[in-house]
Structures are given as structure tokens and as C-alpha cells.
Amino acid sequence: MTAPQDEWEGILDPGEQVLWQGRPDPAITFRAAHAAALVFGLFFAGFALFWMVMAAQAGGLFWMFGLIHFTVGLGIAFGGIFWEPWKRRHTWYTLTDRRAFIARDLPFRGRTLKSYPITDRTRLEFRDGTPGSIMFDHEMRRRKNGHYRVDIGFERIAKAEEVLRLMRQVQERQSG
């Protein structure tokens, strides 16, 4: 078995040390935001199903044009509920004495590895929960009518308090 440091050769800076590695909890969670999408998506899919049944009674294959709408409706209804846990199942976290890394392996996007420097000026936000999360950066994303903020961090990790303590130690070493 290779040591974790050996796996990071060529990625870490000289002298940089891995302090912690972990993965997010992949459990399915249901939030209030999912409820609206669930209701709308089921209504959309239900209407498409009704249309397909009525079109099938006329004969022919015209009813199959409703399949795309039915599938989209199911995607709207259940996509938000299942996408985030699925994304977490394909995510890995690493904390070094200088940076935080988030690695993902997602279809169509491929493998990504992003690093975020942890400095004495990095704002750490602890989000209590079972499991907890630590946010340390953000990015602005575009949408049709402007931008919105997406927080970046170690989401839904076991022993989040211990990881937060390690991150604060990294910050102290940076300022000292």
C-alpha cells in the first residue's frame, strides 16, 4: 500500500503535508426547496402522462412525443432530491497544511481537482448539523437575471469540529 503523500506527488508543493482526508455523507436529505420542485415536477409529469394516454387512444405513435415531457417532469420532481447525494458519493476532500482540496468524478464533467488556499484571512464558516459542514470560499455563478453565490467547502463531514480545529491551526501557522 502506498502512503497518502506518495499519491499526491506532483500535486502538493514541496514540504506540504496532508493533515486530513474524508468524504461527505451521501445520505438523501429533503429540504423545503425540494418540495416546490417536487410538486411542480409531478404536476408537469402528470399532465404529460394524461396527454400521452389521450393521444394513445387516437391510435398511432403520436403519444410518444409526450415521453420527453414526462421524463423532464420526473427530472424536475426528483432531480434535486437525488442529485446532491449522488454528487457527494463521487466527492473526496483533503486538507493540507496550506490548502483545501475538493476532488470530484462526475459524468460528462470528468475528474476535477480544485484547491483553495487556507490563509490567515480565509473566512471559515462552521455549519452545525449532523453531519456538520465547513465553508471556506465561494464563487459567483451566472443565471438569466444576474448572479448568485455558491458557498464552497467540506460539506456534511464526520467530525467537522476536528477538521475546523485543524483548519484554524493552519491559519495560525500562516499568520505566525
Side-chain angles (χ1 to χ4, degrees), residues 103-119:
R104 288 199 171 102
D105 188 5
L106 300 174
F108 305 112
R109 294 183 187 172
R111 292 181 176 180
T112 60
L113 179 65
K114 294 185 178 180
S115 71
Y116 304 89
I118 304 298
T119 68

PDB file of all heavy atoms in Angstrom, residues 103-119:
ATOM      1  N   ALA A 103     -12.075  17.036  -4.704  1.00  0.00           N
ATOM      2  CA  ALA A 103     -11.963  16.214  -5.920  1.00  0.00           C
ATOM      3  C   ALA A 103     -13.329  15.620  -6.225  1.00  0.00           C
ATOM      4  O   ALA A 103     -14.047  15.194  -5.313  1.00  0.00           O
ATOM      5  CB  ALA A 103     -10.947  15.101  -5.708  1.00  0.00           C
ATOM      6  N   ARG A 104     -13.672  15.600  -7.504  1.00  0.00           N
ATOM      7  CA  ARG A 104     -14.938  15.010  -7.937  1.00  0.00           C
ATOM      8  C   ARG A 104     -14.705  14.206  -9.203  1.00  0.00           C
ATOM      9  O   ARG A 104     -13.845  14.527 -10.009  1.00  0.00           O
ATOM     10  CB  ARG A 104     -15.983  16.090  -8.217  1.00  0.00           C
ATOM     11  CG  ARG A 104     -16.496  16.737  -6.967  1.00  0.00           C
ATOM     12  CD  ARG A 104     -17.824  17.441  -7.196  1.00  0.00           C
ATOM     13  NE  ARG A 104     -18.350  17.861  -5.926  1.00  0.00           N
ATOM     14  CZ  ARG A 104     -18.291  19.103  -5.465  1.00  0.00           C
ATOM     15  NH1 ARG A 104     -17.735  20.048  -6.188  1.00  0.00           N
ATOM     16  NH2 ARG A 104     -18.791  19.402  -4.292  1.00  0.00           N
ATOM     17  N   ASP A 105     -15.529  13.184  -9.374  1.00  0.00           N
ATOM     18  CA  ASP A 105     -15.521  12.379 -10.591  1.00  0.00           C
ATOM     19  C   ASP A 105     -16.969  12.228 -11.032  1.00  0.00           C
ATOM     20  O   ASP A 105     -17.683  11.337 -10.580  1.00  0.00           O
ATOM     21  CB  ASP A 105     -14.878  11.021 -10.333  1.00  0.00           C
ATOM     22  CG  ASP A 105     -14.671  10.218 -11.604  1.00  0.00           C
ATOM     23  OD1 ASP A 105     -14.933  10.746 -12.705  1.00  0.00           O
ATOM     24  OD2 ASP A 105     -14.268   9.041 -11.498  1.00  0.00           O
ATOM     25  N   LEU A 106     -17.416  13.145 -11.914  1.00  0.00           N
ATOM     26  CA  LEU A 106     -18.812  13.194 -12.346  1.00  0.00           C
ATOM     27  C   LEU A 106     -18.913  12.912 -13.844  1.00  0.00           C
ATOM     28  O   LEU A 106     -18.046  13.302 -14.612  1.00  0.00           O
ATOM     29  CB  LEU A 106     -19.410  14.576 -12.057  1.00  0.00           C
ATOM     30  CG  LEU A 106     -19.421  15.002 -10.592  1.00  0.00           C
ATOM     31  CD1 LEU A 106     -19.903  16.428 -10.472  1.00  0.00           C
ATOM     32  CD2 LEU A 106     -20.298  14.069  -9.779  1.00  0.00           C
ATOM     33  N   PRO A 107     -20.006  12.257 -14.253  1.00  0.00           N
ATOM     34  CA  PRO A 107     -20.172  12.015 -15.686  1.00  0.00           C
ATOM     35  C   PRO A 107     -20.317  13.321 -16.458  1.00  0.00           C
ATOM     36  O   PRO A 107     -20.839  14.302 -15.934  1.00  0.00           O
ATOM     37  CB  PRO A 107     -21.452  11.182 -15.772  1.00  0.00           C
ATOM     38  CG  PRO A 107     -22.105  11.271 -14.456  1.00  0.00           C
ATOM     39  CD  PRO A 107     -21.101  11.746 -13.463  1.00  0.00           C
ATOM     40  N   PHE A 108     -19.853  13.334 -17.646  1.00  0.00           N
ATOM     41  CA  PHE A 108     -19.866  14.465 -18.577  1.00  0.00           C
ATOM     42  C   PHE A 108     -18.900  15.576 -18.148  1.00  0.00           C
ATOM     43  O   PHE A 108     -18.485  16.352 -18.984  1.00  0.00           O
ATOM     44  CB  PHE A 108     -21.274  15.056 -18.763  1.00  0.00           C
ATOM     45  CG  PHE A 108     -22.282  14.030 -19.181  1.00  0.00           C
ATOM     46  CD1 PHE A 108     -23.297  13.646 -18.325  1.00  0.00           C
ATOM     47  CD2 PHE A 108     -22.196  13.433 -20.423  1.00  0.00           C
ATOM     48  CE1 PHE A 108     -24.220  12.688 -18.709  1.00  0.00           C
ATOM     49  CE2 PHE A 108     -23.117  12.473 -20.816  1.00  0.00           C
ATOM     50  CZ  PHE A 108     -24.130  12.097 -19.955  1.00  0.00           C
ATOM     51  N   ARG A 109     -18.565  15.680 -16.893  1.00  0.00           N
ATOM     52  CA  ARG A 109     -17.607  16.687 -16.431  1.00  0.00           C
ATOM     53  C   ARG A 109     -16.235  16.073 -16.220  1.00  0.00           C
ATOM     54  O   ARG A 109     -15.237  16.773 -16.220  1.00  0.00           O
ATOM     55  CB  ARG A 109     -18.078  17.315 -15.119  1.00  0.00           C
ATOM     56  CG  ARG A 109     -19.342  18.112 -15.268  1.00  0.00           C
ATOM     57  CD  ARG A 109     -19.713  18.770 -13.981  1.00  0.00           C
ATOM     58  NE  ARG A 109     -21.020  19.406 -14.089  1.00  0.00           N
ATOM     59  CZ  ARG A 109     -21.659  19.926 -13.099  1.00  0.00           C
ATOM     60  NH1 ARG A 109     -21.154  19.909 -11.880  1.00  0.00           N
ATOM     61  NH2 ARG A 109     -22.843  20.482 -13.272  1.00  0.00           N
ATOM     62  N   GLY A 110     -16.194  14.773 -15.972  1.00  0.00           N
ATOM     63  CA  GLY A 110     -14.934  14.083 -15.737  1.00  0.00           C
ATOM     64  C   GLY A 110     -14.400  14.333 -14.345  1.00  0.00           C
ATOM     65  O   GLY A 110     -15.109  14.762 -13.444  1.00  0.00           O
ATOM     66  N   ARG A 111     -13.121  14.062 -14.198  1.00  0.00           N
ATOM     67  CA  ARG A 111     -12.459  14.243 -12.909  1.00  0.00           C
ATOM     68  C   ARG A 111     -11.988  15.680 -12.762  1.00  0.00           C
ATOM     69  O   ARG A 111     -11.397  16.236 -13.679  1.00  0.00           O
ATOM     70  CB  ARG A 111     -11.262  13.319 -12.790  1.00  0.00           C
ATOM     71  CG  ARG A 111     -11.628  11.881 -12.695  1.00  0.00           C
ATOM     72  CD  ARG A 111     -10.400  11.025 -12.561  1.00  0.00           C
ATOM     73  NE  ARG A 111     -10.801   9.639 -12.380  1.00  0.00           N
ATOM     74  CZ  ARG A 111      -9.959   8.653 -12.232  1.00  0.00           C
ATOM     75  NH1 ARG A 111      -8.656   8.889 -12.260  1.00  0.00           N
ATOM     76  NH2 ARG A 111     -10.390   7.433 -12.073  1.00  0.00           N
ATOM     77  N   THR A 112     -12.261  16.253 -11.587  1.00  0.00           N
ATOM     78  CA  THR A 112     -11.785  17.601 -11.290  1.00  0.00           C
ATOM     79  C   THR A 112     -11.117  17.590  -9.927  1.00  0.00           C
ATOM     80  O   THR A 112     -11.498  16.822  -9.039  1.00  0.00           O
ATOM     81  CB  THR A 112     -12.931  18.636 -11.282  1.00  0.00           C
ATOM     82  OG1 THR A 112     -13.885  18.274 -10.280  1.00  0.00           O
ATOM     83  CG2 THR A 112     -13.612  18.718 -12.636  1.00  0.00           C
ATOM     84  N   LEU A 113     -10.111  18.429  -9.787  1.00  0.00           N
ATOM     85  CA  LEU A 113      -9.439  18.632  -8.515  1.00  0.00           C
ATOM     86  C   LEU A 113      -9.211  20.119  -8.370  1.00  0.00           C
ATOM     87  O   LEU A 113      -8.471  20.719  -9.144  1.00  0.00           O
ATOM     88  CB  LEU A 113      -8.098  17.884  -8.463  1.00  0.00           C
ATOM     89  CG  LEU A 113      -7.293  18.060  -7.182  1.00  0.00           C
ATOM     90  CD1 LEU A 113      -8.022  17.453  -5.982  1.00  0.00           C
ATOM     91  CD2 LEU A 113      -5.906  17.436  -7.329  1.00  0.00           C
ATOM     92  N   LYS A 114      -9.884  20.709  -7.397  1.00  0.00           N
ATOM     93  CA  LYS A 114      -9.743  22.146  -7.163  1.00  0.00           C
ATOM     94  C   LYS A 114      -9.115  22.349  -5.794  1.00  0.00           C
ATOM     95  O   LYS A 114      -9.432  21.655  -4.841  1.00  0.00           O
ATOM     96  CB  LYS A 114     -11.106  22.840  -7.214  1.00  0.00           C
ATOM     97  CG  LYS A 114     -11.732  22.794  -8.585  1.00  0.00           C
ATOM     98  CD  LYS A 114     -13.022  23.590  -8.611  1.00  0.00           C
ATOM     99  CE  LYS A 114     -13.630  23.575 -10.009  1.00  0.00           C
ATOM    100  NZ  LYS A 114     -14.878  24.338 -10.061  1.00  0.00           N
ATOM    101  N   SER A 115      -8.211  23.333  -5.734  1.00  0.00           N
ATOM    102  CA  SER A 115      -7.572  23.636  -4.458  1.00  0.00           C
ATOM    103  C   SER A 115      -7.907  25.058  -4.053  1.00  0.00           C
ATOM    104  O   SER A 115      -8.073  25.941  -4.903  1.00  0.00           O
ATOM    105  CB  SER A 115      -6.057  23.438  -4.538  1.00  0.00           C
ATOM    106  OG  SER A 115      -5.465  24.444  -5.321  1.00  0.00           O
ATOM    107  N   TYR A 116      -8.009  25.262  -2.754  1.00  0.00           N
ATOM    108  CA  TYR A 116      -8.349  26.563  -2.180  1.00  0.00           C
ATOM    109  C   TYR A 116      -7.345  26.861  -1.074  1.00  0.00           C
ATOM    110  O   TYR A 116      -7.251  26.099  -0.104  1.00  0.00           O
ATOM    111  CB  TYR A 116      -9.767  26.527  -1.606  1.00  0.00           C
ATOM    112  CG  TYR A 116     -10.791  26.121  -2.635  1.00  0.00           C
ATOM    113  CD1 TYR A 116     -11.122  24.776  -2.842  1.00  0.00           C
ATOM    114  CD2 TYR A 116     -11.411  27.068  -3.434  1.00  0.00           C
ATOM    115  CE1 TYR A 116     -12.049  24.403  -3.801  1.00  0.00           C
ATOM    116  CE2 TYR A 116     -12.337  26.705  -4.400  1.00  0.00           C
ATOM    117  CZ  TYR A 116     -12.651  25.371  -4.571  1.00  0.00           C
ATOM    118  OH  TYR A 116     -13.563  24.996  -5.531  1.00  0.00           O
ATOM    119  N   PRO A 117      -6.582  27.936  -1.207  1.00  0.00           N
ATOM    120  CA  PRO A 117      -5.594  28.251  -0.166  1.00  0.00           C
ATOM    121  C   PRO A 117      -6.282  28.576   1.157  1.00  0.00           C
ATOM    122  O   PRO A 117      -7.326  29.225   1.181  1.00  0.00           O
ATOM    123  CB  PRO A 117      -4.859  29.463  -0.724  1.00  0.00           C
ATOM    124  CG  PRO A 117      -5.707  30.004  -1.812  1.00  0.00           C
ATOM    125  CD  PRO A 117      -6.601  28.916  -2.278  1.00  0.00           C
ATOM    126  N   ILE A 118      -5.689  28.092   2.229  1.00  0.00           N
ATOM    127  CA  ILE A 118      -6.158  28.416   3.579  1.00  0.00           C
ATOM    128  C   ILE A 118      -5.132  29.374   4.166  1.00  0.00           C
ATOM    129  O   ILE A 118      -3.996  28.981   4.442  1.00  0.00           O
ATOM    130  CB  ILE A 118      -6.299  27.160   4.459  1.00  0.00           C
ATOM    131  CG1 ILE A 118      -7.227  26.132   3.809  1.00  0.00           C
ATOM    132  CG2 ILE A 118      -6.787  27.538   5.853  1.00  0.00           C
ATOM    133  CD1 ILE A 118      -8.653  26.586   3.603  1.00  0.00           C
ATOM    134  N   THR A 119      -5.514  30.630   4.294  1.00  0.00           N
ATOM    135  CA  THR A 119      -4.614  31.649   4.835  1.00  0.00           C
ATOM    136  C   THR A 119      -5.208  32.208   6.116  1.00  0.00           C
ATOM    137  O   THR A 119      -6.319  31.853   6.500  1.00  0.00           O
ATOM    138  CB  THR A 119      -4.413  32.802   3.821  1.00  0.00           C
ATOM    139  OG1 THR A 119      -5.647  33.517   3.694  1.00  0.00           O
ATOM    140  CG2 THR A 119      -3.965  32.273   2.462  1.00  0.00           C
TER     141      THR A 119
END
